[in-house]
């Protein structure tokens, strides 16, 4: 029975383990977003794969660009009550052994005794200060839209290289006429900002104010090599891996 409730003994054992834990790793996937009104994969529209491919922005189809952006703006829902519970477990000190004390001058030391590792792109955890510096979003987050100028490149480690193909060359030529691809890392706008508000009518498209190309979500999409998006994800991943190594040594 897929709906069978956990045995009371298992719940008690889990509660006791949480009460005594000094470190906590929170893993969250698509199911955790569902109660915030976001669809799980099996409920997504038929065009989901198309809406997850940044190459859609290379076309001159303004209606497709608007549909793409509206899909990702739709992730800006209100986090459900479960996030508040986790927040109370951590920064609210509901778990007596999971305490992050400051060093006497009001500055809390790193690392945190808790960390969030999530494949969700809704950005809900980042709305809580308790997870601001202890969060690894392995696919990025849709709370921000950013300049898409970098998506025609990939980073080899020795520098940026153009993606192969005539369509990517055409995109890069168009972008490079207006902006340096390296500037793109700083061009962002939050989904709750006034900049997003005009994108509510057919054919209204949110565009980068610098290169005038359609803006993209700060999410690692299918076939995506955008170094500006990957840079943020890599930084979070490296911080998480450093924390994980410290915790493994501690326990």
């Amino acid at each position: 029975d897929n709906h069978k409730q956990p045995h009371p003994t298992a719940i008690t054992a889990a509660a006791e383990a949480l009460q005594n834990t000094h470190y906590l790793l929170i893993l969250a996937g698509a199911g955790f977003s569902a109660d915030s009104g976001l669809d799980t994969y099996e409920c997504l529209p038929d065009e989901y794969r198309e809406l997850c491919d940044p190459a859609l922005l290379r076309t001159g189809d303004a209606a497709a660009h608007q549909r793409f952006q509206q899909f990702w703006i739709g992730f800006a829902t209100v986090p459900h009550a479960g996030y508040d519970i986790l927040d109370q477990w951590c920064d609210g000190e509901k778990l007596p052994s999971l305490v992050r004390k400051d060093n006497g001058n009001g500055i809390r030391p790193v690392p945190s005794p808790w960390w969030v590792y999530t494949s969700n792109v809704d950005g809900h955890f980042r709305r809580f200060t308790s997870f601001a510096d202890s969060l690894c979003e392995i696919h990025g987050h849709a709370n921000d839209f950013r300049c898409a100028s970098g998506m025609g490149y990939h980073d080899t480690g020795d520098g940026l290289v153009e993606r192969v193909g005539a369509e990517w060359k055409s995109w890069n030529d168009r972008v490079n006429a207006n902006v340096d691809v390296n500037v793109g890392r700083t061009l962002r706008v939050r989904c709750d900002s006034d900049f997003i508000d005009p994108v509510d009518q057919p054919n209204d498209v949110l565009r980068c104010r610098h290169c005038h190309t359609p803006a993209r979500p700060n999410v690692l999409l299918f076939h995506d090599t955008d170094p500006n998006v990957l840079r943020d994800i890599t930084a979070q991943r490296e911080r998480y891996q450093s924390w994980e190594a410290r915790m493994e040594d501690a326990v």
Side-chain angles (χ1 to χ4, degrees), residues 129-194:
T129 57
S130 54
F131 306 120
D133 61 351
S134 54
L135 176 61
C136 182
E137 299 159 308
I138 61 172
H139 295 147
H141 66 93
N143 283 184
D144 293 349
F145 269 65
R146 70 181 310 148
C147 174
S149 62
M151 71 179 192
Y153 292 82
H154 66 92
D155 192 342
T156 64
D158 295 320
L160 299 181
V161 176
E162 288 191 80
R163 296 182 68 173
V164 176
E167 290 182 319
W168 284 119
K169 185 179 187 322
S170 175
W171 166 268
N172 289 332
D173 288 346
R174 189 163 72 251
V175 167
N176 291 336
N178 295 297
V179 67
D180 180 346
V181 65
N182 292 300
V183 176
R185 73 185 67 177
T186 63
L187 306 179
R188 293 199 204 173
V189 57
R190 288 194 58 79
C191 280
D192 57 2
S193 76
D194 293 339

Side-chain angles (χ1 to χ4, degrees), residues 61-71 199-205:
D61 187 345
H65 298 166
Q66 200 265 353
R67 189 170 66 253
F68 172 88
Q69 291 179 346
Q70 282 293 337
F71 174 75
V199 191
D200 58 5
Q201 299 294 327
N203 299 322
D204 282 342
V205 176

Side-chain angles (χ1 to χ4, degrees), residues 33-233:
S33 294
D35 287 341
S36 297
L38 295 171
D39 288 336
T40 51
Y41 296 118
E42 63 270 19
C43 301
L44 289 169
D46 293 339
E47 58 182 350
Y48 170 69
R49 295 194 66 84
E50 181 185 14
L51 295 172
C52 289
D53 189 341
L56 180 66
L57 299 181
R58 297 180 313 192
T59 72
D61 187 345
H65 298 166
Q66 200 265 353
R67 189 170 66 253
F68 172 88
Q69 291 179 346
Q70 282 293 337
F71 174 75
W72 290 104
I73 290 171
F75 280 78
T77 59
V78 178
H80 61 70
Y83 292 89
D84 293 298
I85 293 172
L86 292 175
D87 181 47
Q88 287 300 307
W89 282 5
C90 298
D91 228 14
E93 300 185 2
K94 290 293 186 181
L95 301 182
S97 298
L98 191 72
V99 177
R100 188 178 185 185
K101 299 178 180 178
D102 65 47
N103 58 10
N105 61 4
I107 299 176
R108 299 196 307 183
V110 175
S112 164
W114 61 82
W115 214 274
V116 175
Y117 188 93
T118 180
S119 59
N120 294 341
V121 298
D122 50 38
H124 287 171
F125 281 105
R126 63 177 46 243
R127 302 189 187 191
F128 296 83
T129 57
S130 54
F131 306 120
D133 61 351
S134 54
L135 176 61
C136 182
E137 299 159 308
I138 61 172
H139 295 147
H141 66 93
N143 283 184
D144 293 349
F145 269 65
R146 70 181 310 148
C147 174
S149 62
M151 71 179 192
Y153 292 82
H154 66 92
D155 192 342
T156 64
D158 295 320
L160 299 181
V161 176
E162 288 191 80
R163 296 182 68 173
V164 176
E167 290 182 319
W168 284 119
K169 185 179 187 322
S170 175
W171 166 268
N172 289 332
D173 288 346
R174 189 163 72 251
V175 167
N176 291 336
N178 295 297
V179 67
D180 180 346
V181 65
N182 292 300
V183 176
R185 73 185 67 177
T186 63
L187 306 179
R188 293 199 204 173
V189 57
R190 288 194 58 79
C191 280
D192 57 2
S193 76
D194 293 339
F195 195 24
I196 295 290
D197 291 344
V199 191
D200 58 5
Q201 299 294 327
N203 299 322
D204 282 342
V205 176
L206 174 66
R207 295 183 181 277
C208 172
R209 288 171 172 168
H210 295 258
C211 67
H212 310 297
T213 57
R216 59 159 300 163
N218 197 39
V219 173
L220 185 64
L221 302 175
F222 296 157
H223 317 297
D224 203 350
T225 63
D226 191 330
N228 294 320
V229 174
L230 285 166
R231 187 178 294 110
D232 293 347
I233 292 173

